[in-house]
Amino acid sequence: MANYYFDTTPLLISVDCIVFGFEEGKLKLLIGKRKMNPGMGEWSLYGGFVKENESLEQAATRTLGSLTGLDNIYMTQVGAYGAVDRDPGERVISIAYCSLINVSDYNEAQQNEYGVEWVSLDELPDLYSDHKMMVTEAIEKLRRHLSTEPLCFNLLPEHFTLTQLQKVYEAILGEEIDKRNFRKRIKTMECIQKTKFVDKLTSKRGAALYRFSESRFQKEEKFKL
C-alpha cells in the first residue's frame, strides 16, 4: 500500500461491543474485567482493534462472533468515541456497536472462556474509560427505535408469553406499561402470532405462547406498541 500520508501520525481504531440480554425480568449487559493495561482489572465492554483488511462492520461482526459464538446477531452502530485522552495507552478512536441476544442462546462455556458475565443495568459497576457513556447512548438509541422496529424479539426465545414481551419493553423503556392497552395493541398486530403451545413453567394456569413473524412484519404498514 502506497504511503501518501507519511507526515500524519497514525491512529488506532477499535470496536466495542455493547451486548444486551434479557433475564429475570431485567435488561442485562455483558461485561468482563480487562486482562491488559491500561485499566487491567477494571470492568469493561468487550472489544478489539480493526484489522487493516476489514471494514468497521466486519471488525464488529468478527469480535462479536468470537465473544458469543453466535451468527446473525442483531447489531447496530451507536457512535464514534474519540476524546483525545479516552485511552491513556495510545490515541485510540472506538466505534461502538449495540447487539441484542437471547441469554439462553449464549453458551456458558463460551462465557467462562472470555471471563464475562451478565450484569443488570441497575447494578452496573463503573466501567473503563467512556464505556458507560457508550452504554447510555446505546439504550437511548434502542428507546428511540423501539416503537418502529421489532427489537424486543431479539431478546426473547422463539416462543414467548405476552407478559415476557411486555417485561422486555418495560426493561428497555425503564418504566411500566399499562397491561390492558399493551395487550389491546398486540391483538391488532398480525406479525405477533398466537401459537398452539402453552407455557406451564412460569404460569400455573398455562399462558399462551406467541411468536414473531418476520414475513408478516414486512407487510405491516406500521409497527408501534
Side-chain angles (χ1 to χ4, degrees):
M1 182 180 293
N3 184 8
Y4 296 110
Y5 310 112
F6 60 88
D7 59 343
T8 301
T9 303
L11 306 176
L12 295 174
I13 307 295
S14 68
V15 292
D16 281 300
C17 298
I18 307 165
V19 184
F20 289 118
F22 179 75
E23 188 178 43
E24 300 172 343
K26 294 184 177 182
L27 191 64
K28 295 188 175 183
L29 179 69
L30 195 63
I31 58 175
K33 291 191 174 182
R34 284 176 64 87
K35 300 178 181 179
M36 59 182 288
N37 279 316
M40 181 179 290
E42 294 183 36
W43 287 102
S44 169
L45 298 172
Y46 185 79
F49 289 104
V50 179
K51 296 182 178 180
E52 186 177 4
N53 63 344
E54 63 184 0
S55 67
L56 291 174
E57 187 169 330
Q58 288 171 333
T61 300
R62 170 181 55 79
T63 303
L64 186 61
S66 175
L67 172 64
T68 65
L70 302 174
D71 297 321
N72 300 319
I73 300 175
Y74 169 83
M75 183 177 73
T76 184
Q77 188 181 118
V78 176
Y81 300 82
V84 175
D85 58 351
R86 65 173 302 274
D87 191 312
E90 293 284 352
R91 180 76 167 94
V92 181
I93 295 174
S94 180
I95 314 300
Y97 285 84
C98 173
S99 298
L100 306 174
I101 70 173
N102 180 7
V103 172
S104 62
D105 288 340
Y106 188 32
N107 188 285
E108 188 174 346
Q110 190 93 0
Q111 181 176 332
N112 293 334
E113 178 183 349
Y114 283 88
V116 292
E117 56 186 85
W118 292 106
V119 178
S120 175
L121 291 185
D122 56 11
E123 299 175 351
L124 205 61
D126 289 335
L127 299 179
Y128 174 75
S129 186
D130 51 7
H131 288 189
K132 198 159 227 178
M133 182 191 301
M134 295 178 182
V135 174
T136 298
E137 294 184 359
I139 295 172
E140 290 173 352
K141 181 171 184 177
L142 289 180
R143 288 173 178 171
R144 289 196 302 271
H145 293 270
L146 190 60
S147 63
T148 56
E149 297 179 27
L151 302 177
C152 284
F153 305 104
N154 295 287
L155 297 165
L156 292 167
E158 180 181 0
H159 297 113
F160 51 85
T161 67
L162 293 185
T163 297
Q164 288 175 316
L165 180 60
Q166 181 174 338
K167 290 296 183 183
V168 170
Y169 269 84
E170 291 176 336
I172 294 176
L173 293 173
E175 60 185 29
E176 293 186 2
I177 300 174
D178 182 79
K179 180 178 179 180
R180 183 178 299 178
N181 290 336
F182 182 82
R183 299 202 172 197
K184 183 179 179 180
R185 177 59 183 137
I186 288 292
K187 292 180 180 179
T188 68
M189 303 178 69
E190 294 185 3
C191 64
I192 301 177
Q193 301 174 308
K194 186 176 182 179
T195 72
K196 62 181 180 180
F197 304 111
V198 175
D199 173 29
K200 295 183 178 180
L201 295 177
T202 60
S203 173
K204 293 182 179 180
R205 293 184 177 181
L209 288 169
Y210 291 74
R211 64 180 293 273
F212 171 68
S213 171
E214 178 69 32
S215 59
R216 292 200 175 193
F217 164 73
Q218 298 295 341
K219 294 179 182 179
E220 290 196 83
E221 294 183 1
K222 293 183 179 180
F223 181 87
K224 186 171 183 179
L225 286 172

